[in-house]
Amino acid sequence: MKEFYESDLFDVWDVGALRTLNQSPTLNVYTDATITKNGCVSTDGKIIEESIHIRGANKLVSGKPSPSVKATHTSERAYYFGYSNSSHWGHYLTETVARSGHLDIDPIDVYHSGDISRIKKFYPQHKYIHISNAVKCETLYVPVPTMVNLWNIFPEHIKVCQKIGDIYGRDFLPNKRVYLSRTTQPKHRRWTEGEPELEELLSTAGWKIVHCAHLSPREQIGYIENTQYLTGCIGSSFHNLMMTRQNPGKVVYLTCDIDNTNPNYALHDRILGNDSVYLDCQVVSNPSNRTKKILNPIEVFEYLQDTCI
C-alpha cells in the first residue's frame, strides 16, 4: 500500500491553477445567439466556449455545435443550462450544480439537456425547456461553470452546494469513525471486490458503517459533518463534503494508484481545507464495468485502525 496526496494528484492530472473567490464564475450575456444541445453560437458565428461541456483541460463530452447551425425556433430571453444530470449523485453535485449558481433570478426560460429535476425544485420560478432543435435567442445568459470535472473548481461552487445542504437540512449523527459503504450497490455498478470483508472487520471494531444510497441527504450530511474520521472506497458519497458546514477531522480515500484516481475529490477538498489522504490499496480488476479489488482487506483494516485512533 502507498499513501499519496492532493499535490500528487494535481501533478499527474495536470489540474488547473487554484481559483479564488469572485475570480471569474460570471454570467455572460449574448445578443442574437443560437442555442443547441451541444452548446451555443454567437451572432458572429463563433462558438461560446463556456457553453461547451468539457472534462479535464479540454476533453469534449458532447461535442460542439456547428457554427453554421440554423435555428428553427426563437426566444426573447433565455438561460443556457446545457448539460444536466440529476440521476447520478456525483454528476449532480459537480457538473450540474456548476451551471445553477445564477438561477436565483426573475423567471426566465431555462434551456437544458438531460435530467434537471433536482434543480427545478430549488428554482421553481423558471420554465424549463429540454433542447431538441436549435433556438435563436435575442438575449441569452450563459454561466461560466463553477466546476469542470477533473480540472478545476471555484469557491463559489462550494457555497452553492452548502446552500443546497442547508435546504436539505442536517441531522446530528455523531460518530467517531465513519465508513461510507458501497456494498449494497449492484455488482455491475463499480463494485469493489474485498469491500464486504473490510466492512465486516471495521464493523466488528466499532466503526459506523453508513450506506448513503439508502439515506436522505440530511442524514448523509449528518454523519459526514459529525465524525472525526471519514473513510471508504472513493466514490460519489464523498461529494457530500461540499454540502457540509463542518469538516471531518480526517478523510482517508481508499483508491487505486494516482493514474486511476479521480481528482474531483482533491479539487473540492482544496477549497474546503481537508488535508486528505489517498491510500493506494486497490486495482482495477475489470475495466469494462469499472470493477475494483482491494488487494488485502486485512492490511487496509490494520492501517485504518492505526491511523484513525
Side-chain angles (χ1 to χ4, degrees), residues 74-80 107-111 126-129:
T74 59
S75 173
E76 291 185 5
R77 180 172 172 268
Y79 182 109
Y80 183 76
I108 193 171
D109 290 348
V110 177
Y111 284 85
H126 305 306
K127 180 180 179 181
Y128 292 88
I129 303 170

Side-chain angles (χ1 to χ4, degrees), residues 18 38 62 73 91 93 100 109 111 118 148 162 180 229 241 273 281 303:
L18 178 65
N38 294 330
S62 307
H73 298 73
H91 290 291
L93 284 180
S100 69
D109 290 348
Y111 284 85
R118 295 183 188 273
V148 176
Q162 287 175 332
L180 300 183
Y229 298 104
L241 285 161
C281 61
Y303 168 89

Side-chain angles (χ1 to χ4, degrees), residues 24-97:
S24 66
T26 56
L27 183 64
N28 296 330
V29 184
Y30 296 89
T31 302
D32 293 330
T34 302
I35 296 170
T36 80
K37 64 180 181 180
N38 294 330
C40 303
V41 178
S42 63
T43 187
D44 57 356
K46 295 181 180 180
I47 294 174
I48 299 174
E49 291 300 323
E50 65 270 25
S51 71
I52 304 301
H53 182 204
I54 65 171
R55 291 177 185 150
N58 194 26
K59 180 183 177 182
L60 291 175
V61 179
S62 307
K64 289 185 177 182
S66 168
S68 59
V69 63
K70 300 298 182 183
T72 58
H73 298 73
T74 59
S75 173
E76 291 185 5
R77 180 172 172 268
Y79 182 109
Y80 183 76
F81 201 97
Y83 173 84
S84 56
N85 186 342
S86 293
S87 59
H88 186 288
W89 191 252
H91 290 291
Y92 159 59
L93 284 180
T94 56
E95 297 176 303
T96 305
V97 169

Side-chain angles (χ1 to χ4, degrees), residues 49-307:
E49 291 300 323
E50 65 270 25
S51 71
I52 304 301
H53 182 204
I54 65 171
R55 291 177 185 150
N58 194 26
K59 180 183 177 182
L60 291 175
V61 179
S62 307
K64 289 185 177 182
S66 168
S68 59
V69 63
K70 300 298 182 183
T72 58
H73 298 73
T74 59
S75 173
E76 291 185 5
R77 180 172 172 268
Y79 182 109
Y80 183 76
F81 201 97
Y83 173 84
S84 56
N85 186 342
S86 293
S87 59
H88 186 288
W89 191 252
H91 290 291
Y92 159 59
L93 284 180
T94 56
E95 297 176 303
T96 305
V97 169
R99 292 160 171 78
S100 69
H102 298 282
L103 280 175
D104 192 14
I105 55 177
D106 291 336
I108 193 171
D109 290 348
V110 177
Y111 284 85
H112 67 94
S113 60
D115 181 0
I116 201 170
S117 56
R118 295 183 188 273
I119 299 299
K120 287 182 181 180
K121 295 179 181 178
F122 297 125
Y123 307 100
Q125 71 270 35
H126 305 306
K127 180 180 179 181
Y128 292 88
I129 303 170
H130 191 274
I131 304 167
S132 54
N133 299 305
V135 179
K136 189 78 167 182
C137 186
E138 292 181 16
T139 303
L140 177 64
Y141 299 88
V142 182
V144 173
T146 52
M147 182 171 184
V148 176
N149 280 9
L150 313 178
W151 170 243
N152 221 316
I153 188 172
F154 289 99
E156 284 83 353
H157 188 85
I158 304 296
K159 290 185 176 294
V160 173
C161 287
Q162 287 175 332
K163 290 179 181 178
I164 290 173
D166 292 343
I167 293 171
Y168 283 135
R170 59 214 346 108
D171 291 340
F172 180 63
L173 300 168
N175 290 271
K176 183 177 181 180
R177 302 187 295 184
V178 167
Y179 180 87
L180 300 183
S181 172
R182 298 170 61 92
T183 57
T184 60
Q185 296 296 300
K187 290 192 175 182
H188 66 276
R189 295 182 62 183
R190 303 184 186 183
W191 179 256
T192 301
E193 299 168 358
E195 186 179 17
E197 291 82 355
L198 172 61
E199 184 177 310
E200 183 177 356
L201 291 168
L202 292 170
S203 180
T204 301
W207 285 70
K208 177 65 178 178
I209 309 300
V210 174
H211 300 275
C212 286
H214 303 292
L215 299 176
S216 67
R218 66 178 299 123
E219 290 172 306
Q220 297 177 47
I221 296 171
Y223 280 117
I224 292 173
E225 276 191 339
N226 297 290
T227 185
Q228 185 174 350
Y229 298 104
L230 181 71
T231 190
C233 294
I234 200 165
S236 295
S237 295
F238 285 96
H239 286 313
N240 290 334
L241 285 161
M242 294 190 289
M243 295 193 292
T244 63
R245 293 289 183 178
Q246 177 175 298
N247 293 338
K250 185 181 184 69
V251 181
V252 179
Y253 296 100
L254 307 182
T255 184
C256 299
D257 59 20
I258 297 177
D259 291 330
N260 288 291
T261 296
N262 188 327
N264 280 352
Y265 308 95
L267 284 172
H268 63 58
D269 278 353
R270 177 167 62 177
I271 303 296
L272 291 166
N274 290 327
D275 188 19
S276 303
V277 177
Y278 296 80
L279 186 65
D280 178 358
C281 61
Q282 304 175 6
V283 293
V284 179
S285 58
N286 187 343
S288 64
N289 63 4
R290 301 188 187 184
T291 296
K292 298 178 181 179
K293 180 180 181 179
I294 298 175
L295 293 173
N296 190 330
I298 294 176
E299 188 179 15
V300 175
F301 167 72
E302 292 174 346
Y303 168 89
L304 292 173
Q305 286 291 95
D306 292 340
T307 304

